[in-house]
Amino acid sequence: KVLHMEQVETFAILHVWDGTEAGDFPVTLNTWDTDTDSSSALPEDLKAFAIPDLLHRCELSENMLGNLVSGSVELVYGTLLPVKISVSQLREVAGIGREGWVLLKNLRVNMAAGQVQCIYNQSSRWSKHVEDEQARAELERKVANGVISERFTQCDAQSLRTRTLHPKKPFMTVRQVRQSAMASGKPGKYRMLVRMVGYSPVDFAGFCKVKKGREGSKSYVFSVRTRVEDPTGELDVILYGEAAEKFLGMRACNMREDMDALDALANRMNEMLGFKDDGEPHEIVWLDLCVLSYFLEDKGSNWDASRFRVFDTLHNN
């Protein structure tokens, strides 16, 4: 089902959905050489795309989420598959965004930073399709019974790297959280089951900032932006202050001087990202996470102004 089509600088993106979930892939997994700097290294049907675009993940967009109905199976369940279409192929897919269910053939599969994507190329074709009513009824049954994702029921609580102080609060998907915050425009509290797939700053020594107190006193505080995901999308989440210390299971300090603390922080982050020693396959790590939504002033729409911060989440030492 085509949920949304949007035009970007060098190509268009179809966001398609059939209710199934993409597999869990390490964020280090790519199918393209990131050192490539010339389009001559690409197959003929991919030269219409700018190379950096092939290396980037596709994110949720405000317009796409705005098209989904609150409580619908499309919002709650299933992975959105981005299908990239070069400008030269746009005439071929004219009108596809209005057809609802379609059949796509001969797509090229691309992996960008662990995200499955597809390329609509010269040999690709599409046609109208009829919705599988039985499959949709099954999805609606799962949503009604609170089965947000099969992964949620398969995860053993003992294997999670974190736990929350609100274990009875139901899980929500990233798509649900983003739409809820965008629609309400008010602070909210949510619980999610997610993977960590990125962080900023990239230097662990920069995770702690100086915090000045009264009378010139000085202390250190964690201030980190992480990116988390579940089968429905990605979300940037802030780790700050005491909540960050509980999440990481360690105290903030001057990481540029305390090498033991820096090593401990690096080990903790690599553990949450699922990174293993050289030669070992990366692990898929899930986090039980509570986040608080809030809004910055003078940032335009609720989508642009919304921010999310971890709270009441503890590391399982």
Side-chain angles (χ1 to χ4, degrees):
K1 183 176 182 179
V2 179
L3 297 186
H4 185 61
M5 182 175 181
E6 59 185 332
Q7 181 83 39
V8 292
E9 290 184 1
T10 57
F11 57 91
I13 301 177
L14 282 178
H15 295 278
V16 300
W17 173 95
D18 67 0
T20 60
E21 297 179 356
D24 302 319
F25 301 104
V27 295
T28 53
L29 185 57
N30 289 290
T31 52
W32 300 102
D33 182 2
T34 56
D35 294 330
T36 301
D37 58 4
S38 172
S39 61
S40 62
L42 293 176
E44 193 67 31
D45 59 316
L46 295 182
K47 290 182 179 179
F49 297 90
I51 289 178
D53 294 326
L54 284 174
L55 305 178
H56 292 166
R57 299 167 69 100
C58 294
E59 301 180 20
L60 295 174
S61 71
E62 180 179 8
N63 291 334
M64 188 276 295
L65 274 184
N67 292 335
L68 300 182
V69 178
S70 179
S72 66
V73 293
E74 292 89 348
L75 178 67
V76 177
Y77 213 87
T79 301
L80 292 178
L81 176 67
V83 180
K84 297 180 177 180
I85 308 169
S86 68
V87 173
S88 63
Q89 298 295 314
L90 287 181
R91 181 175 298 180
E92 165 69 21
V93 299
I96 192 173
R98 299 188 295 271
E99 295 299 340
W101 285 88
V102 298
L103 179 65
L104 297 169
K105 297 181 179 180
N106 304 329
L107 300 176
R108 178 188 290 272
V109 178
N110 177 44
M111 186 74 69
Q115 183 188 59
V116 179
Q117 305 175 353
C118 283
I119 306 295
Y120 192 100
N121 53 49
Q122 295 174 353
S123 62
S124 301
R125 297 292 182 270
W126 73 275
S127 60
K128 297 180 181 179
H129 195 63
V130 179
E131 179 179 7
D132 187 334
E133 295 182 359
Q134 183 176 354
R136 185 178 185 86
E138 175 64 15
L139 286 177
E140 290 176 344
R141 182 192 65 80
K142 289 182 178 181
V143 173
N145 291 334
V147 182
I148 304 299
S149 166
E150 299 296 342
R151 291 170 176 78
F152 287 41
T153 59
Q154 294 170 0
C155 280
D156 180 2
Q158 299 299 320
S159 67
L160 298 176
R161 294 300 193 277
T162 59
R163 68 185 188 278
T164 73
L165 300 182
H166 309 281
K168 294 184 179 181
K169 188 175 181 63
F171 287 117
M172 294 181 69
T173 67
V174 167
R175 274 208 299 267
Q176 285 179 296
V177 170
R178 292 301 301 267
Q179 193 197 55
S180 174
M182 182 175 68
S184 70
K186 299 178 180 179
K189 295 181 178 180
Y190 309 95
R191 184 183 178 211
M192 301 185 297
L193 187 65
V194 293
R195 298 170 55 201
M196 186 185 296
V197 296
Y199 57 87
S200 177
V202 295
D203 182 6
F204 293 138
F207 273 31
C208 290
K209 310 295 184 183
V210 175
K211 181 179 181 181
K212 295 183 179 180
R214 295 179 179 179
E215 299 179 357
S217 63
K218 183 176 69 173
S219 61
Y220 287 88
V221 60
F222 280 113
S223 181
V224 185
R225 179 172 60 88
T226 66
R227 176 160 292 182
V228 300
E229 72 164 16
D230 70 5
T232 71
E234 299 179 346
L235 184 70
D236 285 354
V237 177
I238 303 298
L239 301 176
Y240 186 81
E242 184 179 349
E245 293 183 343
K246 292 179 179 179
F247 176 83
L248 294 168
M250 59 187 303
R251 298 294 299 274
C253 65
N254 186 346
M255 294 290 174
R256 300 190 185 279
E257 294 184 357
D258 191 333
M259 294 297 101
D260 290 338
L262 181 61
D263 288 343
L265 175 61
N267 291 335
R268 182 58 45 82
M269 289 297 295
N270 287 334
E271 169 200 346
M272 290 190 174
L273 287 160
F275 293 166
K276 294 287 189 175
D277 294 334
D278 291 343
E280 294 187 34
H282 292 331
E283 181 183 8
I284 303 301
V285 174
W286 290 91
L287 308 173
D288 188 349
L289 197 68
C290 277
V291 299
L292 169 70
S293 66
Y294 61 100
F295 297 83
L296 302 180
E297 296 181 358
D298 302 324
K299 285 293 184 180
S301 68
N302 290 344
W303 176 269
D304 294 328
S306 61
R307 298 292 186 273
F308 300 86
R309 181 184 293 182
V310 170
F311 78 99
D312 286 355
T313 303
L314 313 178
H315 185 269
N316 279 330
N317 292 309

